[in-house]
Amino acid sequence: MATKAEKELYRKTAELGCSLCRHQGNEGTPAELHHIRRTSKRSNAPVIPLCPYHHRGSNTSIHGMGRRRFEREYAITEEQLLVQTEELLNAYS
Ligand SMILES: [Zn+2]
Ligand SMILES: [Zn+2]
């Protein structure tokens, strides 16, 4: 179960809009949350906002292509998108 603080963080994260669209110069594309897998089970998976196209599209998304192909295709890593997301969250809070 997500705590109240986590739910608040998830809401703010989604409100940023798709992080990859933003990287491409289009801000504010409605986004859903993508959980980044961590090897450690102790910490909660961090989340980044991705639009359905970049999240679930068959040949355009992190789940459709797989992380490695996604990162090569868009020349940005999942971790870089997370850094960008965290910077925006810090700037707005
Ligand atoms: Zn997008
Ligand atoms: Zn996902």
Side-chain angles (χ1 to χ4, degrees):
M1 278 293 285
T3 65
K4 200 176 169 193
E6 282 169 335
K7 282 183 192 164
E8 182 70 5
L9 177 65
Y10 289 175
R11 186 182 62 75
K12 284 185 183 165
T13 302
E15 280 179 0
L16 293 174
C18 176
S19 55
L20 181 57
C21 286
R22 175 183 294 273
H23 173 66
Q24 295 176 327
N26 304 309
E27 287 187 24
T29 311
E32 47 199 39
L33 296 173
H34 170 66
H35 291 253
I36 294 181
R37 284 168 184 260
R38 284 280 189 257
T39 44
S40 159
K41 286 184 180 169
R42 281 189 307 169
S43 60
N44 281 317
V47 293
I48 56 173
L50 287 175
C51 63
Y53 181 79
H54 286 136
H55 190 216
R56 296 181 268 123
S58 56
N59 266 307
T60 55
S61 77
I62 192 143
H63 290 295
M65 296 194 289
R67 184 175 58 82
R68 289 173 69 179
R69 226 183 103 203
F70 175 92
E71 291 181 345
R72 211 167 48 228
E73 180 83 15
Y74 296 114
I76 189 163
T77 67
E78 199 180 48
E79 292 296 328
Q80 286 172 312
L81 292 174
L82 178 61
V83 168
Q84 178 215 73
T85 298
E86 287 176 341
E87 283 174 356
L88 286 167
L89 286 172
N90 288 337
Y92 289 149
S93 62

